[in-house]
Amino acid sequence: MNTEEMKKLVAKEALKYIEDDMIVGLGTGSTTAYFIKMLGKMIMNEELFDVYGLPTSYQARILALESGVPVVSLDEVDAIDIAVDGADEVDPHLNLIKGRGAALTMEKIIEYRAGTFLVLVDGSKLVEYLGQKMPVPIEVIPAAWRVIKEELEVFNATAELRMGVKKDGPVVTDNGNFILDAKFERIEDPLDLEIELNNIPGVVENGIFADIADIVLVGTKEGVKKLER
């Protein structure tokens, strides 16, 4: 079973958590894209009723509409029943690094408020500690990116401005900001670092999601493994 098959497997398993009359937070990324397409098919086939998607990005919104998932905005809902999203790293305590899709701010806003936050990954995303493989994405005000990059040296981190693909210049988020990818030697206390990074003036949000995930579904060659906090 290859990686794409594992992604489809966990996306299909995630559908078991969706019920009628739910508001579902829709994450951004390749694994969640499979989930959105499958969810749309269930809605179109009338296997689910009165289910609405709350997208975390323009990409998720466009895909939801194309797939037949009716969408709502954050100010239209009183509660979010469940949010479904991927992750770039998952540690043994279910702390996450997210943000390779540059949608981390809205992802955190929605997933923090969800009754259940369900994370979909393949086995390669499991790590011994956060920062083992991936940098921490940090969304920053464009005018401040250089001074924030310098300030991150206090944390023994090396940061690079994320540059665009198929466009000139840096990646620009849905919020009109830049992304710094900060590589830390080892993140010992994810929650503490998450708070400290957000206290830097000019930082909008960072990609450490500590103490938020409720369930992680892991795609493996043997099937889907369920991890719970």
Side-chain angles (χ1 to χ4, degrees):
M1 186 181 298
N2 60 34
T3 300
E4 293 306 308
E5 290 172 332
M6 291 180 192
K7 291 178 179 181
K8 292 177 183 178
L9 195 64
V10 293
K12 185 176 180 180
E13 185 70 17
L15 292 171
K16 296 178 181 179
Y17 293 82
I18 310 303
E19 301 175 358
D20 295 342
D21 303 307
M22 274 191 168
I23 301 296
V24 183
L26 304 177
T28 302
S30 58
T31 305
T32 317
Y34 286 124
F35 169 78
I36 293 173
K37 292 175 183 177
M38 292 177 186
L39 178 63
K41 186 172 294 186
M42 290 188 71
I43 292 171
M44 298 290 282
N45 291 339
E46 298 187 343
E47 297 174 64
L48 286 169
F49 296 92
D50 297 319
V51 171
Y52 294 86
L54 179 56
T56 58
S57 66
Y58 291 134
Q59 185 265 353
R61 178 183 174 83
I62 291 168
L63 181 59
L65 292 172
E66 289 177 345
S67 302
V69 180
V71 300
V72 290
S73 61
L74 191 59
D75 57 3
E76 291 180 285
V77 301
D78 296 321
I80 305 164
D81 297 291
I82 188 171
V84 181
D85 204 353
D88 303 309
E89 286 190 348
V90 181
D91 78 5
H93 303 288
L94 306 192
N95 298 307
L96 317 172
I97 286 179
K98 291 175 44 56
R100 291 305 299 168
L104 59 151
T105 298
M106 189 55 70
E107 286 174 345
K108 192 173 287 189
I109 289 170
I110 289 173
E111 290 154 9
Y112 179 84
R113 289 167 172 78
T116 300
F117 177 25
L118 180 63
V119 181
L120 313 180
V121 296
D122 63 82
S124 68
K125 304 298 176 64
L126 301 182
V127 294
E128 296 176 10
Y129 57 88
L130 290 192
Q132 184 175 351
K133 298 178 181 179
M134 302 296 296
V136 177
I138 303 173
E139 184 166 349
V140 301
I141 299 296
W145 78 267
R146 190 178 297 277
V147 293
I148 293 172
K149 177 182 177 181
E150 293 173 356
E151 192 159 350
L152 288 170
E153 294 175 3
V154 175
F155 297 87
N156 294 318
T158 55
E160 297 295 334
L161 183 64
R162 189 184 299 181
M163 303 305 289
V165 177
K166 297 183 180 179
K167 75 173 286 292
D168 293 330
V171 167
V172 178
T173 71
D174 288 355
N175 308 309
N177 298 314
F178 290 172
I179 296 286
L180 287 173
D181 288 312
K183 183 64 179 176
F184 294 83
E185 292 180 4
R186 184 182 179 114
I187 299 174
E188 299 287 356
D189 188 337
L191 181 58
D192 183 65
L193 182 59
E194 180 180 6
I195 294 169
E196 286 193 51
L197 291 175
N198 280 354
N199 281 336
I200 299 174
V203 168
V204 177
E205 188 53 81
N206 72 83
I208 298 175
F209 286 54
D211 296 339
I212 296 179
D214 297 300
I215 301 169
V216 177
L217 299 180
V218 185
T220 71
K221 292 181 179 179
E222 292 73 35
V224 177
K225 181 179 179 180
K226 180 180 178 181
L227 306 177
E228 294 185 85
R229 183 176 301 284

